[in-house]
Structures are given as C-alpha cells and as structure tokens.
Amino acid sequence: PNHTIMPNQIIPPPAKYGGRHTVTMIPGDGIGPELLNHARELFRFCCVPVDFEVVNVDSSVTSEDDINNAVTAIKRNGVALKGNIETNHNLPPSHKSRNNLLRTSLDLYANVMHCQTLPGVQTRHRDIDIIIIRENTEGEYSSLEHENVPGVVECLKIITRMNSMRLAEFAFRLAREKGRRRITAVHKANIMKLGDGLFLKCCKEVAAGYPDITFDDMIVDNTTMQLVSKPQQFDVMVMPNLYGNVVSNVCAGLVGGPGLVPGANYGENYAVFETATRNTGKSIANKNIANPTATLLASCLMLDHLRLHDHASVIRKAVLKTLSETQLHTADLGGQGTTSEVVQTIMQEVQRNGFLNPKHI
Amino acid sequence: GDTQIFLLWKSLSQILSRVLGAVKSQTQPRTFSRGVHTVTLIPGDGIGPEISTAVMKIFEAAKVPIQWEERNVTAIKGPGGKWMIPPEAKESMDRSKIGLKGPLKTPIAAGHPSMNLLLRKTFDLYANVRPCVSIEGYKTPYTDVDLVTIRENTEGEYSGIEHVIVDGVVQSIKLITEQASRRIAEYAFEYARNNQRSSVTAVHKANIMRMSDGLFLRKCREVAENYKDVKFTEMYLDTVCLNMVQDPTQFDVLVMPNLYGDILSDLCAGLIGGLGVTPSGNIGANGVAIFESVHGTAPDIAGKDLANPTALLLSAVMMLRHMGLHADAKKIETACYDTIRDKKVLTKDLGGNSKCSEFTTEICRRVQDMD
C-alpha cells in the first residue's frame, strides 16, 4: 500500500522475539552526540531492528568508571557505535586516552578503513579505492613511558609476533573476501630493524599462504609521498599502529575529508564502529553544520556486521545519493548545507525507495 | 717549515672561529660580506658527481664568491676500530662550516653504518630543514604550497635502541630529551624570525604519548614565550596529515620530533613534485651546516647526462641564504624557476627530453643575462 507518512509518525512494527539487536552507543564529545542522534533517528525511521543502549563517558573526570562501564556494556552487547572521546593531553600521563583504553580492553586488534572516491565530492585525485588495515592495540600506542633520568623520557613501542600475525591473517582474509589483488605492508624496517622487521616478517609468512594475492612492502615516508602523487596505485595496505594513523588520515584527506569516511574496529569477539579519522570536531559542535556522512556510513558498516544487509544497503544508497547532490554539501565539502537538511534528504530518499513497506521487514 | 706554518695557521683560524663563535649566536646565519668563501663539496655517488658539476658551473656563471673544496666521505675505520669519516673531510668541514652534499650510496653489507648517520653524528646535525615551495611550471595537484618542515634529527624514534624482550616481543625505544627538544624549538623560532615566517606549529601526538611528546610540546611552549613576534600553535600529527592533503596553504613552519618529521617532510616533498626538486639543509650544533639533495643515487642513469640537478641546486640556493648571500641566491633561484616554467629545456623527470648539461647551460645563460 502506498501511503505518505510523516517521519515522526512512524510506528515501528512489533518486535520479533530474538529479532532485535541491542547495540551500545557512546556519544562521546564534540559532534559525536548530535550525529549519533541522527543515526538513531534514521534507524527509527527505517524501522531498523536495533535498539541503542546509550553509555556516556565523561572525558573531563579522572575516574575510569565511565569507560569501564562502556567496556562492560560492549562486552554484553558485542557491538558498539561511538563518537570520539576527547583526550586532554595536558593532564598527567596517568590519565589515559579513553578511546585507547576501549580499544585495548576489548582487544580490537584490527582497524579497517575503506577509502573510496565518492561521487559528487570534488577532490584533487580521482579513482581512489584503498582499504587500510591498521594494527589497533600495540605499537607506539602501548602507553608505556618512563623518565628514568630527569629530562630524558623513554617511550616504548611494542611489536609482538602474536598481534602482527593476527593482523596479517585478518588482512589477507579480508582481501580475499573482497576480491582484492594486492596487499602492501607499510613500515620503517630499515631504521627499526627489530620492531618493524618483525611486523614485516609476519606479513611475509602469512602472504605465503595466499598465492593469489600479491604482497609487497613500502617504507612509510615513501608511501606518503606516493599517496599524494599517485594514490591509485594502492589496493590494500596493512601496517602497525602509528603509520596507520598517518596513512589513514592522509587517505581520508585525499577522498574529501574527515566527514566522509567510516571506520571499523574488529576484535575476536567485539566490533566497534566510528568515523575513520576519529575527530571530535569541537569547533563545529552543536551548530548543525557537521557532515553526518561518515557516522551514517559507519552505522551501515555496523548493520552489515549484524547481517542486516538489506537495511545497510538501503541506507547506504540513500546516503551516497544525497552526497552526490552538491547543493546540500556541508561546510567541510565547501557548501552551506546543514546537518539536518542532509539527514532529511536521506530519509526522503529511503522513503522514495519504498523500504517502509512492512513486507520487507 | 711548511708544516709548522700550516699548523700555526690552523691554530690561529681555530682561535678565530672560536672567538667568532662566542660572539655570535649559533643559530644565526653568518653574514659573509666580502672575500671568497670556502664550501666543502661532497659530490657523492651515482649521479652525485654530475649534478655537483652542474651546480659548480651555474655558480661560476653567476660569479658567486665561493671556492669549492671537494671531499670524499666514505667511511674508514679509525684507531680503536670505530667507523668515522676521513679526517680530511672532517677537517675541511670544521674549517669551512658549510657543506654541500650529493646523494650517498647506502651500503648493505659493507659493515659500516649509513654515511648520512655518520655525518649526522660527527657534526651533531640536529635540525633537518626542508622548505617546500610549489614550483611554477612543474605541475602537481597542489599549488601555492609554501611551508617549511623542521625535524629534530638526533633522537626520537631513531635512537636505534631495540630489544627482543622474549621470543616474539620486540621493544623499540623512542627517546625524547629536554635538551634536544629545546634546541630544535629554538632553531625553529630563530628560523621563523630570520626568514620572515609568521607562525610555528608543533606537531605531536601527546594525547597518546603523553610523557614523551608532552615533554617536546612543553619545551616548544617555553621557547615560544621568548618569541612573541612569531605565532605558536600545536596540532596533532593526524590532523596535520588530514589537513595537509586538503589545504597545504594553511601551514607555515612545522617543528616536530624525528619520525613525524621524516614522514611529514617526505609528504610535503610529494606535494611539490618529489625528492628530485626538494632542497634540504642540516644544521649542526657547532655552526656547521650541510645542505644536500635528498634523492637517491639513481645508479641506472648515472654517467649518462640525464640527471636533474634541481634538488642540489635549490639546496645550494638555501646554502647561499644561510650564508647571507641573498642576491646571489635570488639570482640563481629565479634562473632555475624560469627555466622550468619555460618548459623548453627540461630533463626527463620534469617532462622534457633535454640532457643535464643542456638544462645546466640554459640556467647559466639566464643567470648571465641577468647581470
């Protein structure tokens, strides 16, 4: 039946026992709360069988209770959608990054980011399609620092065989699943012979078991130089934590900025979805100008993870179609559109495709 | 007789340079107003000799008051078994204080450490400076790039200290010291002041590496207090990368620890066209400054008159500015840029099919026309 329904009058269908998922939502700081709110509204509008359990993490307190609660909630639900939690880096080292604590507590060892040239977005480079797989728990992010002698600080970068093997296996499995042809390991093993050398060795070992995928490696400084001149040469890239930070931000910038790219953090048992470049966007918070694309695409990744592929596909299509309409572009893309206009348009697009027909649910 | 005179001259010049050094600040460029100045030239390997010849020819055409002293820096084993650069090279550099260097071969199984590392240690080259300016006529997706990366070059992640804790667990140590951080911050602000740059941005990851990058940041903030005429900002490494590839024009002078500097300086070189057109300078603690091209030795085109001398030439221009010879620097730089913009005589990597010697001759011609 064809009926026009106003968005806030949608009545979701009765919950099927066992058919609804509970997902932890961590609003975070800056633009996180408003964008995740939009995601929640959009889900409600599309009758997505997902309920959000909101857990707030106060970044201004020194107590780690909030983040521990969040971790417990995620362990219970298995899946989370999160905004970035601000880290005040002027506080003493005992106050650790909440985001990092979350990642290590849940052992989310693989961070995956898919960077693609998107239609309707003006960029200097075209035809970019790179999957970046980054080690997410160790390396330079081990938070092990000490000052043995006053004025001399040592920071330990830890690379383990276990994590490197795990990550490499994840990368090759993912590449095969997605039909990708080539994996490039990014490293600095010419200088950090033992650390990055170990990482590289593990990648090579795993590569031997995947003869259908070409494996090569590149030093990180050359990689960034190549990325800004010829990014089309890269297919899948795998790397330790810090280089992953650099490379993923470079790639996000190449395809149009932090407002566009979603990111996923996978562990053995848990998955957490967020924007790929993890920005708080403090300066644009609560002004209705933030770009919701990255957050909404992240929520689609989450839906795929929950095997709600139809819902994911419909929402993703609507988001990308809306993105291609330049007059709606938000400030980060050079336009003057508002967040709510973009979300409304996405909802209209979903509605137009008749997804609200109960038969589909 | 002669040896005694030489030794006397040597000790007199040492006393003189010590006196001069005490009078002037180490980071201020020395002004050379009259007379011919000696520069230690290290041609290097591969295409090194031919691009060095190109630079010497251009300097001659421009009548720059410089006398080149060629030296080889291939490592030798000194007394006690320690690897060192040849004493003639060290002596020349200590005396002239200014060096120009071509690309050096990286030995794989020669048993000695990288030559660049040896030079760095010998002269305590603590600051690596790379001005990245878009070259009109050499098109890249980025225009109007005009920034400088200043990288701490002695410690950080390149301390070389690594241990295998247990089988399968490796620890690499990143070292940040108060002294080195303060030194590089001071150099960055001095550079900004001396080169009319408006801001200095410290690049860090203190949210994750609270103590180490935190220390670096604190020192930068302290030094910034003494340079109120230069704007000081701080930015996370990832934010810099994100913004750099979208809008590089927002950056001016960037100062950072070793690894971030390595990555960012190459990223910025990529923005303007790569290592073949990027100049670089290394500043040492006792007044020594070595300017170099940072590309490789390109053994496949060595000796074939195909090399592009632009990187070494622009490094030499940077050297002239460091020496205070601004007019000569401007003349040669303009001639080089004009030649590239004109597109008539370009080496293969710049999109043309001229020889290195033809490219050099063209620049010489322009330089002479300017007089």
Side-chain angles (χ1 to χ4, degrees):
Chain A
N2 225 353
H3 31 237
T4 44
I5 304 174
M6 295 307 290
N8 49 11
Q9 285 172 9
I10 299 270
I11 301 149
K16 286 193 287 204
Y17 176 75
R20 293 186 73 80
H21 302 262
T22 311
V23 168
T24 308
M25 176 180 275
I26 303 172
D29 299 307
I31 53 177
E34 61 194 88
L35 293 182
L36 287 173
N37 230 20
H38 284 300
R40 195 171 24 181
E41 271 170 33
L42 183 59
F43 275 25
R44 210 174 285 146
F45 179 79
C46 301
C47 301
V48 175
V50 167
D51 296 313
F52 287 108
E53 180 193 348
V54 179
V55 180
N56 283 302
V57 177
D58 190 347
S59 55
S60 57
V61 299
T62 42
S63 149
E64 287 182 7
D65 286 345
D66 275 356
I67 193 67
N68 289 334
N69 288 341
V71 168
T72 311
I74 299 174
K75 281 187 171 161
R76 187 172 51 239
N77 296 324
V79 179
L81 190 61
K82 91 183 248 296
N84 198 45
I85 305 164
E86 176 107 34
T87 305
N88 182 349
H89 60 261
N90 294 311
L91 290 175
S94 50
H95 182 95
K96 302 198 155 88
S97 152
R98 298 322 187 212
N99 304 302
N100 201 22
L101 276 174
L102 197 111
R103 291 190 290 265
T104 48
S105 309
L106 296 169
D107 199 21
L108 302 170
Y109 66 90
N111 176 266
V112 182
M113 173 177 156
H114 187 181
C115 259
Q116 287 172 292
T117 300
L118 296 173
V121 181
Q122 274 283 67
T123 53
R124 289 182 179 85
H125 309 271
R126 312 300 302 166
D127 303 319
I128 298 176
D129 191 352
I130 308 174
I131 298 181
I132 298 165
I133 300 163
R134 155 192 181 185
E135 205 291 322
N136 213 12
T137 56
E138 60 176 24
E140 301 80 351
Y141 289 49
S142 308
S143 303
L144 294 163
E145 298 181 291
H146 46 257
E147 192 170 355
N148 283 337
V149 175
V152 177
V153 176
E154 280 186 4
C155 173
L156 305 180
K157 163 177 164 168
I158 310 288
I159 301 272
T160 61
R161 190 180 157 76
M162 186 186 89
N163 280 329
S164 307
M165 286 300 287
R166 246 193 338 185
L167 188 77
E169 270 155 23
F170 181 94
F172 277 88
R173 251 195 338 259
L174 185 71
R176 185 174 267 173
E177 202 183 299
K178 305 254 177 218
R180 311 290 275 206
R181 305 253 49 92
R182 196 172 125 241
I183 294 190
T184 308
V186 178
H187 64 95
K188 194 113 184 118
N190 51 338
I191 303 285
M192 284 179 255
K193 299 188 167 74
L194 292 184
D196 287 355
L198 175 58
F199 180 83
L200 202 54
K201 201 154 62 110
C202 293
C203 291
K204 285 190 179 140
E205 263 181 55
V206 175
Y210 290 79
D212 51 321
I213 298 178
T214 315
F215 174 70
D216 54 27
D217 65 275
M218 196 183 274
I219 299 183
V220 61
D221 30 310
N222 187 21
T223 307
T224 52
M225 218 178 343
Q226 297 293 325
L227 278 170
V228 297
S229 43
K230 215 159 57 85
Q232 300 83 4
Q233 63 182 289
F234 295 105
D235 191 356
V236 178
M237 299 166 85
V238 65
M239 61 205 84
N241 216 333
L242 183 69
Y243 312 147
N245 186 225
V246 170
V247 171
S248 49
N249 274 270
V250 168
C251 289
L254 291 176
V255 298
L260 296 178
V261 193
N265 304 281
Y266 297 105
E268 218 81 45
N269 304 308
Y270 315 110
V272 174
F273 301 88
E274 56 179 347
T275 65
T277 48
R278 304 169 175 166
N279 306 93
T280 332
K282 217 168 29 169
S283 57
I284 56 170
N286 300 317
K287 296 188 180 154
N288 200 18
I289 52 175
N291 191 338
T293 308
T295 303
L296 294 177
L297 288 178
S299 65
C300 292
L301 289 178
M302 183 194 78
L303 290 174
D304 274 326
H305 181 80
L306 293 173
R307 299 195 207 285
L308 295 169
H309 298 295
D310 287 341
H311 289 274
S313 163
V314 164
I315 296 177
R316 188 176 288 126
K317 248 199 235 101
V319 170
L320 294 177
K321 176 84 178 20
T322 308
L323 185 65
S324 66
E325 294 182 37
T326 10
Q327 73 274 16
L328 287 170
H329 278 182
T330 42
D332 59 313
L333 297 174
Q336 290 169 349
T338 63
T339 317
S340 33
E341 274 169 16
V342 175
V343 177
Q344 283 294 347
T345 312
I346 293 171
M347 286 181 180
Q348 283 161 15
E349 188 59 39
V350 167
Q351 191 172 33
R352 199 168 317 161
N353 291 329
F355 186 72
L356 301 174
N357 188 325
K359 269 211 292 257
H360 288 270
I361 296 160
Chain B
D2 278 344
T3 328
Q4 282 175 321
I5 294 170
F6 173 70
L7 286 174
L8 184 64
W9 161 240
K10 203 165 162 225
S11 44
L12 272 176
S13 66
Q14 273 177 344
I15 294 166
L16 202 63
S17 59
R18 220 172 292 149
V19 168
L20 282 175
V23 168
K24 291 209 167 107
S25 139
Q26 283 167 6
T27 51
Q28 238 179 25
R30 297 162 60 181
T31 35
F32 293 65
S33 44
R34 298 166 306 176
V36 177
H37 315 287
T38 312
V39 168
T40 307
L41 175 69
I42 301 162
D45 309 304
I47 55 172
E50 48 201 293
I51 56 177
S52 303
T53 309
V55 171
M56 287 196 281
K57 266 211 195 97
I58 294 168
F59 270 48
E60 203 187 307
K63 301 204 197 55
V64 181
I66 279 187
Q67 168 182 290
W68 305 98
E69 224 173 67
E70 267 190 57
R71 289 290 182 270
N72 186 333
V73 292
T74 316
I76 58 166
K77 255 218 170 118
K82 229 174 81 164
W83 288 103
M84 51 184 244
I85 64 169
E88 313 84 56
K90 181 169 191 316
E91 183 276 329
S92 170
M93 194 71 77
D94 280 336
R95 188 175 15 95
S96 66
K97 297 293 189 195
I98 308 283
L100 183 68
K101 173 184 150 292
L104 293 175
K105 213 166 32 192
T106 317
I108 300 188
H112 62 74
S114 124
M115 290 315 312
N116 289 314
L117 186 62
L118 258 185
L119 279 171
R120 209 172 300 141
K121 291 232 149 87
T122 310
F123 299 106
D124 199 9
L125 301 173
Y126 68 91
N128 178 260
V129 184
R130 278 208 214 163
C132 288
V133 182
S134 284
I135 298 176
E136 207 187 319
Y138 188 42
K139 212 171 162 322
T140 65
Y142 299 89
T143 53
D144 303 322
V145 179
D146 185 2
L147 54 86
V148 183
T149 57
I150 297 181
R151 157 192 177 188
E152 204 292 321
N153 217 3
T154 61
E155 55 177 31
E157 299 82 348
Y158 295 6
S159 61
I161 311 169
E162 294 189 290
H163 312 112
V164 177
I165 309 290
V166 293
D167 193 24
V169 179
V170 176
Q171 159 187 304
S172 305
I173 298 189
K174 162 175 163 168
L175 210 63
I176 298 281
T177 64
E178 200 176 302
Q179 194 203 19
S181 304
R182 190 187 311 117
R183 194 167 58 166
I184 194 72
E186 268 166 5
Y187 182 78
F189 279 95
E190 274 296 326
Y191 182 92
R193 198 180 258 174
N194 294 336
N195 291 277
Q196 291 83 44
R197 310 292 301 205
S198 46
S199 73
V200 171
T201 305
V203 182
H204 66 100
K205 269 215 82 62
N207 50 341
I208 301 292
M209 287 176 259
R210 196 69 52 79
M211 278 179 88
S212 41
D213 282 1
L215 173 59
F216 179 82
L217 208 52
R218 265 199 322 276
K219 291 299 134 193
C220 289
R221 285 177 189 156
E222 276 171 30
V223 172
E225 290 298 306
N226 300 332
Y227 290 84
K228 295 287 194 185
D229 49 323
V230 179
K231 178 161 167 243
F232 174 66
T233 50
E234 310 168 0
M235 205 183 262
Y236 288 143
L237 172 67
D238 33 297
T239 313
V240 172
C241 289
L242 187 59
N243 292 343
M244 184 70 79
V245 299
Q246 292 180 83
D247 179 23
T249 61
Q250 62 187 280
F251 296 104
D252 193 351
V253 177
L254 299 162
V255 65
M256 59 214 115
N258 216 334
L259 175 67
Y260 313 154
D262 193 3
I263 299 175
L264 269 182
S265 57
D266 274 8
L267 192 151
C268 295
L271 298 177
I272 62 165
L275 299 181
V277 293
T278 308
S280 173
N282 298 289
I283 312 298
N286 48 9
V288 166
I290 302 182
F291 298 86
E292 59 175 352
S293 58
V294 285
H295 52 69
T297 51
D300 47 333
I301 57 168
K304 297 185 182 159
D305 198 14
L306 294 171
N308 178 359
T310 304
L312 191 63
L313 186 63
L314 290 179
S315 302
V317 164
M318 212 180 142
M319 177 187 83
L320 288 173
R321 292 212 164 97
H322 178 88
M323 294 163 78
L325 297 166
H326 295 284
D328 289 311
K330 190 80 190 144
K331 195 161 60 174
I332 295 175
E333 187 185 59
T334 310
C336 180
Y337 283 166
D338 284 348
T339 308
I340 297 177
R341 190 189 308 120
D342 221 21
K343 292 199 214 255
K344 293 213 196 75
V345 187
L346 292 176
T347 48
K348 191 147 170 285
D349 62 310
L350 292 174
N353 48 23
S354 301
K355 295 211 184 61
C356 174
S357 46
E358 290 167 342
F359 183 70
T360 310
T361 310
E362 178 63 17
I363 299 180
C364 291
R365 184 186 68 76
R366 284 177 191 272
V367 154
Q368 278 157 341
D369 282 349
M370 283 187 211
D371 283 330

